Amino acid sequence: MAVLKHNFATVLKEYALITFGIVCYSLAWDIFLIPNNLVGGGVTGVGSIIEYATHGVIKTGYSYFVINAILLTVGLFTLGRGFGIKTVYAVLIASLTLSLGGDIIPKSFIQAMAIDNGKLLSVIMGGMLAGFGIGLTMSQGGSTGGTDIIALILNKYRGISPGKVILWIDVVIIASSILVPSYTPDGTLVPFIDKIMVVVYGYILAAVLSIVLDWTLSGSRQSVQVFITSRKHAEIADEITHEFHRGVTVLNGKGWYSQEAVQVLMVLTRKNDLNLMLRSIKAIDPNAFVSVASVTAVYGKGFDAIKGALKGGNQGGKSPEKS
């Protein structure tokens, strides 16, 4: 029963954070980018170009859903079941929020937050919010799909780096906005010189989004080392092993003041799991002595792989276990 409760709480937390991350990503477009006729990379960038070209008739969310549905289908047949229910859920939520956000958010709020502050500040704020949203979603095992799927397909059959593929796709998508007629929400055709600046802003957006995405992922994947001294060390070790699926090392020690033999548990875990683990330890032994220290990096099963250690093995520094 305890295992079921823990698993349910974990899944609920993951989907709640994925939802929050996707909403942040969609708000970046609905508030800062689309009202300023700005373009970014990925499927959302393609959707925004289509929306501008059709006078807002085809919303970004509609194109986002259709393109992702096609890519997810192709990815299912070429890559297998690598993209699970979390990706489908994230795509559905993003499609919904991108389609409805512009109609629900008050125009006066968008005017004050984005349009009045100019395109450059909107690019920076939108990029930060979008990067945080994608990073939060990815940290919980979700994905916005899109060009990620194309990159993985090319990596599988051509051995091309996914990072390079995504970068060049984004470059092409942003640059292609020059070739497509673009209209503002009031129906005014955007001059060619302004479209050149939109491309420049698009590249700034991609840079800001990438930096914030990396910061968010690095923060969510930070690890900690926990030492636990308790008379109920066996119960605590079982709890950590079975409920948190983390390895526990038992170190034999001796309390110098008491001259008694003690067993010290050493655990390495992700920082975002720490609070729940501490509550579990306290529930078993309120008098347990616990010390926590941040670690620079952890390599091995359940954490990161040593990059370049094994050719053809786990590459890209991803964990062997599922996110």
Side-chain angles (χ1 to χ4, degrees):
M1 183 62 69
V3 175
L4 291 176
K5 287 183 178 179
H6 173 68
N7 289 340
F8 177 76
T10 301
V11 171
L12 186 63
K13 183 198 77 171
E14 289 175 351
Y15 276 89
L17 290 176
I18 288 174
T19 303
F20 182 68
I22 291 297
V23 169
C24 288
Y25 174 74
S26 301
L27 288 177
W29 282 91
D30 292 331
I31 296 175
F32 296 105
L33 304 179
I34 293 177
N36 280 300
N37 275 72
L38 294 168
V39 175
V43 173
T44 316
V46 175
S48 65
I49 294 174
I50 294 173
E51 179 171 343
Y52 304 149
T54 59
H55 297 265
V57 174
I58 302 178
K59 297 287 188 182
T60 301
Y62 304 160
S63 305
Y64 179 89
F65 175 77
V66 172
I67 296 172
N68 266 298
I70 296 172
L71 291 175
L72 283 170
T73 303
V74 174
L76 181 65
F77 286 103
T78 58
L79 300 173
R81 295 183 296 175
F83 294 94
I85 189 65
K86 288 182 180 178
T87 298
V88 176
Y89 174 78
V91 167
L92 290 175
I93 294 297
S95 301
L96 182 64
T97 50
L98 285 170
S99 301
L100 301 178
D103 298 326
I104 296 175
I105 302 170
K107 302 299 181 183
S108 59
F109 180 78
I110 295 176
Q111 180 75 33
M113 287 293 294
I115 299 176
D116 290 348
N117 287 320
K119 291 186 177 181
L120 180 58
L121 190 57
S122 293
V123 162
I124 295 173
M125 296 175 68
M128 292 175 63
L129 188 59
F132 169 75
I134 295 177
L136 188 61
T137 301
M138 292 178 67
S139 71
Q140 301 304 312
S143 168
T144 54
T147 52
D148 296 354
I149 302 175
I150 299 175
L152 289 175
I153 293 173
L154 290 176
N155 176 256
K156 178 177 180 180
Y157 292 104
R158 298 296 180 185
I160 305 173
S161 166
K164 290 182 180 179
V165 174
I166 293 172
L167 173 63
W168 283 110
I169 290 176
D170 287 349
V171 168
V172 171
I173 290 172
I174 294 171
S176 67
S177 63
I178 294 181
L179 306 175
V180 182
S182 181
Y183 296 89
T184 61
D186 61 3
T188 304
L189 179 65
V190 178
F192 182 76
I193 188 66
D194 289 348
K195 295 183 71 177
I196 294 177
M197 291 307 301
V198 166
V199 172
V200 175
Y201 286 133
Y203 292 141
I204 296 174
L205 170 66
V208 173
L209 190 152
S210 176
I211 292 170
V212 176
L213 170 61
D214 287 344
W215 285 350
T216 305
L217 283 176
S218 113
S220 67
R221 295 181 65 81
Q222 184 177 354
S223 299
V224 292
Q225 187 176 59
V226 185
F227 287 98
I228 308 159
T229 304
S230 170
R231 295 182 181 277
K232 299 181 179 180
H233 62 276
E235 295 178 43
I236 294 174
D238 287 340
E239 175 78 6
I240 294 173
T241 301
H242 298 142
E243 300 295 333
F244 295 91
H245 307 289
R246 289 297 181 189
V248 180
T249 301
V250 181
L251 306 175
N252 292 320
K254 181 179 181 180
W256 191 253
Y257 179 79
S258 64
Q259 295 295 306
E260 293 181 358
V262 295
Q263 281 71 44
V264 181
L265 306 181
M266 184 185 75
V267 183
L268 289 165
T269 189
R270 296 295 186 191
K271 190 174 182 179
N272 53 12
D273 291 330
L274 179 61
N275 288 334
L276 187 59
M277 183 178 292
L278 291 176
R279 286 199 294 269
S280 296
I281 294 171
K282 183 179 179 181
I284 296 173
D285 183 5
N287 297 317
F289 184 82
V290 181
S291 67
V292 180
S294 296
V295 293
T296 303
V298 181
Y299 300 105
K301 186 175 181 180
F303 293 91
D304 297 327
I306 300 176
K307 296 181 180 180
L310 294 174
K311 292 184 178 180
N314 184 21
Q315 298 178 358
K318 294 185 179 180
S319 167
E321 65 176 4
K322 294 183 179 179
S323 302

